[in-house]
Amino acid sequence: MSLVADDLAIVILGAIEKPFTKNINKLEKQADVTMKILARYADDNLLPVNINKTKAILVHNVVAPPYPKIKYKETTIEFVKRFKYLGVDITTKLGWESAIGNKAQKFTIVHPNTESKTYLWKSEKYSEELKKLFVGKKYNHALFVVVDKNEILVDFTKGNYRLQNQSQDEHYSGRKRP
């Protein structure tokens, strides 16, 4: 019989009412105890721990934090600023930027008749969705173009246009100038 433990997360909390440096000392001591317990459990159950894939992240709001020293059986655990756990990106600020960036975004399109409409599209489908919009509205590619709010031409016809800004954006479709 073989046992496999995968995607284990250990969360060690600091005390919000204590200064950051005292929290680091406490986290280091708690991590030491926790790593010894993990090592004993892994050894007792013949479970290998891939230390090369083991990472630590310090969630904080400090500009240049000192990091606690965490070891597993004398091997130092690497600290990272971001990692993916069960499909979710976790960062030192616990922000959702990377997760939101992969979700649908708002785009406002101002049509030639000045009608303004907001659409929810995934950024990687932006060119495809603009093409569908042009076909649906029966806009002629030879007569109409799309420009962003900075008046930069958006050439979505080649299918490889990538958005530079991941925030809500406004685009205009209008007649080409002669």
Side-chain angles (χ1 to χ4, degrees):
M1 181 167 132
S2 161
L3 293 174
V4 177
D6 201 11
D7 294 327
L8 173 67
I10 299 172
V11 178
I12 302 173
L13 301 175
I16 198 163
E17 70 278 358
K18 290 186 179 179
F20 191 79
T21 53
K22 286 190 180 181
N23 269 314
I24 293 297
N25 295 335
K26 181 182 174 202
L27 291 172
E28 206 169 276
K29 289 175 186 171
Q30 287 180 305
D32 184 53
V33 170
T34 304
M35 291 297 107
K36 287 177 181 171
I37 292 169
L38 176 62
R40 186 172 43 245
Y41 181 84
D43 290 345
D44 289 351
N45 291 286
L46 303 173
L47 293 171
V49 174
N50 186 344
I51 212 64
N52 295 325
K53 291 173 74 177
T54 302
K55 306 296 179 207
I57 190 164
L58 179 65
V59 177
H60 61 83
N61 63 356
V62 177
V63 176
Y67 287 90
K69 291 163 189 62
I70 301 177
K71 290 186 173 194
Y72 179 82
K73 294 183 175 180
E74 302 308 315
T75 302
T76 301
I77 305 293
E78 174 191 5
F79 274 87
V80 293
K81 296 191 182 305
R82 157 182 276 134
F83 72 93
K84 190 171 273 200
Y85 181 71
L86 298 178
V88 176
D89 272 332
I90 299 174
T91 67
T92 58
K93 304 292 184 207
L94 284 182
W96 290 98
E97 299 85 20
S98 58
I100 291 169
N102 295 327
K103 304 298 180 213
Q105 295 176 263
K106 284 184 182 181
F107 296 96
T108 301
I109 305 293
V110 180
H111 297 276
N113 65 0
T114 68
E115 168 197 3
S116 179
K117 185 159 183 196
T118 301
Y119 301 88
L120 282 174
W121 297 333
K122 286 191 171 189
S123 58
E124 65 269 12
K125 299 257 187 195
Y126 180 74
S127 293
E128 183 182 322
E129 294 295 342
L130 273 175
K131 284 180 188 176
K132 285 183 199 173
L133 179 68
F134 259 58
V135 168
K137 293 282 189 179
K138 297 184 171 115
Y139 293 151
N140 183 336
H141 290 284
L143 298 176
F144 291 95
V145 295
V146 175
V147 293
D148 67 14
K149 65 183 174 186
N150 298 318
E151 297 185 0
I152 297 173
L153 176 69
V154 176
D155 185 2
F156 61 90
T157 59
K158 294 177 183 165
N160 61 356
Y161 180 78
R162 291 289 176 255
L163 294 171
Q164 302 304 314
N165 186 350
Q166 294 296 314
S167 62
Q168 179 175 339
D169 217 345
E170 187 168 62
H171 292 77
Y172 302 87
S173 58
R175 285 196 175 274
K176 286 184 179 178
R177 292 183 186 152

